[in-house]
Amino acid sequence: MAGHPDVEEGRVAVDLTDQAAELYALPLDEFIGARNAAAKEAAQHGDKDLAAAVRKLPKPASAAWLVNMLVTRRRDEVEQVLELGASLKEAQASLDRAQLHALGQQRQRLLTAVAHQSLDAAAEAGHEVGPAALPGVEQTLRAALADPAAAAAVLTGRLVRTLEATGWEAVDLEDAVAGPFTPPAPDDDGDGSPSEKRPSAPQSAGRKPSAADRQKAQARLDAARDALTDAQEAAATTERAARRLSVRRDGLVASVEDLEERLDALRRELADLEAETARREAERLAAERSVEEAERIERGARAALEELSA
């Protein structure tokens, strides 16, 4: 008797989630082979739906995989980043500009430090990734700071691509997580939109804003501007670092190409030298044989002369 469709779909979802969690924790260069093997095994066990779903799991981008490594091997550090995000929201709510500025600076230092730890986590997993992927790691962690749904996506350890926070808009999570993923419901004030992302409603209908209302609104604006300035400075710093890395990479690539050309030239020169050495050796052996033959003839001629003179 066939199982209930809802129960069957739920089982596949759970199995796919577990399978994806294992696959996205593997070294990046092992992903394709392991995924195909898992799909084949599921098919051999008669689980065609699971096999098809596993086979469709995409290989993650390098930066997304690094974030997965952080979640798998450095989860405490990732949770520390997310806790800082909560502190930033509290500072914004309390209009504490000094605390907000200090937390903004702490955020950038923490993001940079944790992003660099992803390279160590990748090395522990057996797959080296260059620093060119670090801006994507920082960008994803920054998105997780800004949006609880993005934070939940990061904590699955099944990211396929990087995430990006743009202003007050919710982070785009479409096709960002492999396997089943339901973002947490945002805080709702009655209309279904996140309360922290919507401007404050008027104090009460029909009442004119007071000086205190305007002061609070100005404080919120000042705090938002400070946060924007910190974000812009962090983005500019990251961009400069990325440009420096790109220039260095281009220089190294050019140096490698020059060395490869020089190596090819030296190999050709060595091959010519070895061929010339072989020719000279053949000539030397031929000369030795000629000398031996001449000596033999000379000895015979000398012996013949000595007989005639006796």
Side-chain angles (χ1 to χ4, degrees), residues 81-257:
V81 170
L82 300 181
E83 289 173 3
L84 178 60
S87 299
L88 281 165
K89 289 180 181 179
E90 291 176 3
Q92 287 175 332
S94 65
L95 306 179
D96 189 334
R97 294 179 62 186
Q99 182 186 13
L100 189 62
H101 182 72
L103 287 171
Q105 293 179 324
Q106 180 184 351
R107 173 188 61 184
Q108 184 53 44
R109 290 194 299 269
L110 185 59
L111 287 174
T112 301
V114 174
H116 276 82
Q117 286 189 35
S118 69
L119 300 182
D120 296 334
E124 291 174 3
H127 184 82
E128 299 285 347
V129 177
L134 289 180
V137 177
E138 285 194 31
Q139 171 186 298
T140 299
L141 294 176
R142 189 174 290 108
L145 276 170
D147 187 342
V154 165
L155 289 175
T156 64
R158 296 182 275 120
L159 283 186
V160 174
R161 61 172 177 81
T162 56
L163 307 179
E164 182 178 6
T166 55
W168 295 109
E169 297 296 326
V171 175
D172 178 17
L173 298 178
E174 185 176 359
D175 298 327
V177 179
F181 172 67
T182 302
D187 293 336
D188 197 304
D189 285 348
D191 62 351
S193 58
S195 60
E196 70 272 17
K197 295 183 180 180
R198 188 174 62 253
S200 300
Q203 298 295 320
S204 62
R207 184 174 71 80
K208 292 183 178 180
S210 65
D213 293 334
R214 286 191 292 271
Q215 184 178 4
K216 289 182 178 179
Q218 182 63 50
R220 289 192 181 91
L221 176 59
D222 291 341
R225 284 173 173 168
D226 286 344
L228 175 60
T229 298
D230 289 342
Q232 289 172 334
E233 290 176 353
T237 299
T238 301
E239 183 179 358
R240 288 193 296 271
R243 283 201 299 267
R244 288 195 298 269
L245 288 171
S246 179
V247 170
R248 184 183 177 190
R249 176 187 177 279
D250 291 343
L252 290 174
V253 168
S255 297
V256 169
E257 290 175 350

